[in-house]
Amino acid sequence: MLITHDTRCALDTVVDLVNTAPEDETPEGLPDVATLEEFVRTHKVSDVGALSEFDLAAVRKIRGRFAAIFAAPDARGAAGLINELIAAAGTTPRLTDHDGYDWHVHYFAPGASLADHLAADCGMALAFFVVAGEQERLRRCEAPDCRRAFVDLSRNRSRRYCDSRTCGNRLHVAAYRARRKEAAG
């Protein structure tokens, strides 16, 4: 599956957005407007004006809708959720070549709120995966104490953990220690 630069940026953005949600003992990753502004800067989200508490609440709301897409049991369920998300955002596809990037498509309407911007661009990036029959690549980490979202871009669709150096390695070390303990009797 060919993934363009802007689609990859949108995928990274949506994964990082979903992973800001508070879960179990993980605190809210978007606690205030300043943190949301930093999120926008870090992800180089273009055409964003001044942000407010309203924007923060709206982004948290669509974050939950994106999380539901990652949890969808099949392509039909994901497609329905994506369709609702991008329709509500009022997508307006247009070609642009800003900030030194070659021509690419933005799906958000000019002047759209940050939430609509993210819903449109990130929603379309996820839609491309469903269209390509790759919805199963939208995953949650299989480590028992981690449920972070990620997109499996491995060739054979075998990635199981959000980060092999942390979650994957931790589980492999635990399994190794359990085997050694059992062998020692």
Side-chain angles (χ1 to χ4, degrees):
M1 176 176 180
L2 177 65
I3 301 174
T4 62
H5 171 76
D6 51 317
T7 300
R8 180 60 192 257
C9 289
L11 290 171
D12 291 344
T13 300
V14 72
V15 164
D16 288 349
L17 178 62
V18 169
N19 289 334
T20 65
E23 287 190 28
D24 299 326
E25 296 183 24
T26 306
E28 170 63 63
L30 293 174
D32 52 36
V33 174
T35 308
L36 180 60
E37 289 168 343
E38 180 59 28
F39 182 90
V40 167
R41 274 191 303 280
T42 300
H43 291 86
K44 299 179 182 165
V45 180
S46 61
D47 296 332
V48 176
L51 298 174
S52 67
E53 290 291 331
F54 176 82
D55 293 302
L56 180 61
V59 168
R60 285 177 179 166
K61 183 176 179 181
I62 65 151
R63 174 181 66 188
R65 297 182 79 183
F66 280 128
I69 294 166
F70 276 82
D74 56 29
R76 185 165 304 284
L81 294 168
I82 292 168
N83 284 339
E84 290 172 12
L85 185 70
I86 60 178
T91 55
T92 307
R94 62 192 164 94
L95 288 167
T96 184
D97 67 343
H98 63 88
D99 298 329
Y101 294 108
D102 204 0
W103 289 105
H104 60 281
V105 180
H106 280 186
Y107 296 95
F108 61 93
S113 70
L114 176 58
D116 285 345
H117 178 140
L118 293 173
D121 275 2
C122 296
M124 289 303 299
L126 296 175
F128 296 144
F129 273 75
V130 174
V131 168
E134 302 285 353
Q135 182 263 336
E136 75 277 359
R137 289 182 182 267
L138 309 177
R139 298 188 175 165
R140 291 291 191 151
C141 184
E142 291 182 18
D145 59 340
C146 179
R147 296 298 299 151
R148 292 177 60 85
F150 68 94
V151 178
D152 178 4
L153 297 177
S154 66
R155 281 185 178 213
N156 62 357
R157 299 172 190 88
S158 63
R159 189 170 159 199
R160 298 173 49 205
Y161 307 109
C162 63
D163 186 346
S164 61
R165 287 174 288 173
T166 54
C167 291
N169 191 44
R170 188 178 54 228
L171 287 177
H172 289 111
V173 168
Y176 171 76
R177 288 180 179 158
R179 286 191 305 272
R180 288 204 40 158
K181 184 178 180 180
E182 185 177 310

